[in-house]
């Protein structure tokens, strides 16, 4: 059963419960069994489901390591022709900026345009600059949900929400060990922030819409592409 079929199944179940309240207790039982089934899976099965759900939603998943991710991403961004990148102000952002600088230095004199203008976001973002001149945003997720292939990004001054919502290319780093079965298990394990930020993002793929003539289009309301860097050793 793929992501679309699972979502439709849950919607049909919810609709049936709303039409027949007597089935509510039965539905609750089904949901409990469903949640219990996910928790009984091995971590490797969570990981496989997490990746497949993201792929189903047109995201790109790059499995890498703590030592190599920044260098691999620098190559990817250069190959894609990214010219400007913004990152949240955190350690992973600094690692990426250093990798981009080192990668640019390694380029030959015949490729001076390969250097990417990358910065940490330390002040309020200009909307004009953000919407018109930033090619990519880099963020770090604190958790991944296997059931839906979702990434949980806790926004705040160090991780501006706009970085994940505006630039055409959205890049998110996640430790594989932070993947859990579902949102329910995440809450039950009390892994949400003790002091909730104004916004917690659940990102499951690039932005998409079918508002116009039911034709599916990507990037109309947000990032057109999503790259997930999955650290398999962390």
């Amino acid at each position: 059963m793929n992501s679309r079929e699972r979502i439709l199944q849950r919607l049909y179940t919810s609709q049936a419960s709303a039409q027949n309240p007597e089935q509510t207790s039965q539905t609750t039982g089904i949901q409990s069994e469903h949640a219990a089934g996910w928790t009984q899976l091995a971590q490797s099965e969570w990981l496989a489901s997490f990746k497949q759900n993201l792929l189903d939603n047109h995201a790109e998943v790059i499995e890498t390591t703590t030592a190599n991710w920044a260098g691999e991403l620098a190559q990817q961004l250069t190959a894609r022709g990214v010219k400007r990148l913004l990152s949240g102000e955190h350690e992973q952002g600094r690692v990426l900026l250093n990798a981009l600088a080192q990668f640019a230095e390694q380029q030959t004199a015949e490729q001076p345009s390969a250097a990417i203008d990358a910065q940490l976001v330390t002040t309020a973002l200009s909307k004009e600059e953000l919407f018109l001149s930033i090619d990519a945003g880099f963020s770090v997720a604190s958790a991944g949900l296997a059931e839906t292939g979702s990434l949980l990004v806790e926004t705040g001054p160090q991780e501006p929400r706009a970085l994940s919502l505006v630039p055409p290319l959205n890049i998110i780093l996640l430790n594989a060990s932070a993947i859990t079965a579902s949102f329910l298990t995440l809450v039950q394990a009390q892994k949400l922030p003790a002091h909730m930020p104004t916004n917690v993002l659940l990102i499951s793929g690039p932005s998409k819409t079918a508002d116009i003539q039911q034709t599916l289009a990507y990037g109309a309301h947000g990032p057109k592409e999503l790259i997930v860097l999955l650290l398999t050793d962390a």
Side-chain angles (χ1 to χ4, degrees):
M1 184 180 294
N2 60 32
S3 304
R4 181 175 181 274
E5 290 167 341
R6 283 195 294 274
I7 292 170
L8 286 174
Q9 183 185 52
R10 295 176 69 176
L11 289 173
Y12 292 147
T13 303
S14 176
Q15 185 181 41
S17 297
Q19 294 173 348
N20 187 357
E22 293 180 357
Q23 293 183 354
T24 301
S25 58
Q26 180 182 352
T27 303
T28 303
I30 293 173
Q31 292 172 339
S32 299
E33 291 176 6
H34 176 75
W38 276 97
T39 57
Q40 291 170 3
L41 296 178
Q43 176 76 20
S44 60
E45 292 175 291
W46 288 354
L47 180 61
S49 179
F50 175 78
K51 290 188 297 184
Q52 188 58 53
N53 279 323
L54 280 169
L55 294 173
D56 288 346
N57 287 324
H58 293 256
E60 179 178 349
V61 180
I62 299 175
E63 294 185 63
T64 181
T65 63
T66 305
N68 296 330
W69 72 266
E72 292 179 8
L73 181 56
Q75 293 182 38
Q76 281 270 343
L77 295 175
T78 302
R80 289 169 178 266
V82 170
K83 292 182 172 54
R84 293 199 64 189
L85 176 143
L86 289 179
S87 166
E89 189 182 13
H90 38 61
E91 181 58 29
Q92 295 89 338
R94 296 184 184 88
V95 171
L96 176 58
L97 264 59
N98 287 334
L100 288 169
Q102 292 176 8
F103 187 79
E105 290 175 359
Q106 295 169 0
Q107 301 305 296
T108 63
E110 289 77 21
Q111 296 176 306
S113 60
I116 296 173
D117 180 3
Q119 300 173 8
L120 302 179
V121 177
T122 56
T123 59
L125 297 170
S126 157
K127 289 184 179 179
E128 181 176 2
E129 180 183 23
L130 182 62
F131 278 86
L132 299 180
S133 63
I134 304 301
D135 301 313
F138 174 73
S139 304
V140 177
S142 59
L145 310 180
E147 183 182 22
T148 55
S150 302
L151 300 128
L152 188 142
V153 178
E154 301 171 19
T155 65
Q158 310 302 316
E159 192 71 89
R161 179 182 60 165
L163 287 186
S164 302
L165 301 178
V166 178
L169 175 59
N170 185 16
I171 307 156
I172 300 180
L173 183 73
L174 173 70
N175 294 337
S177 60
I179 295 175
T180 186
S182 65
F183 190 75
L184 177 62
T185 58
L186 182 79
V187 174
Q188 289 175 334
Q190 299 183 338
K191 291 184 178 179
L192 287 173
H195 301 286
M196 291 292 287
T198 304
N199 290 278
V200 173
L201 304 179
L202 287 172
I203 300 171
S204 303
S207 172
K208 61 183 178 182
T209 179
D211 289 349
I212 302 174
Q213 296 182 336
Q214 297 185 337
T215 300
L216 186 60
Y218 289 88
H221 303 306
K224 189 174 184 178
E225 296 179 274
L226 170 64
I227 294 178
V228 178
L229 293 163
L230 189 60
L231 304 187
T232 55
D233 63 342

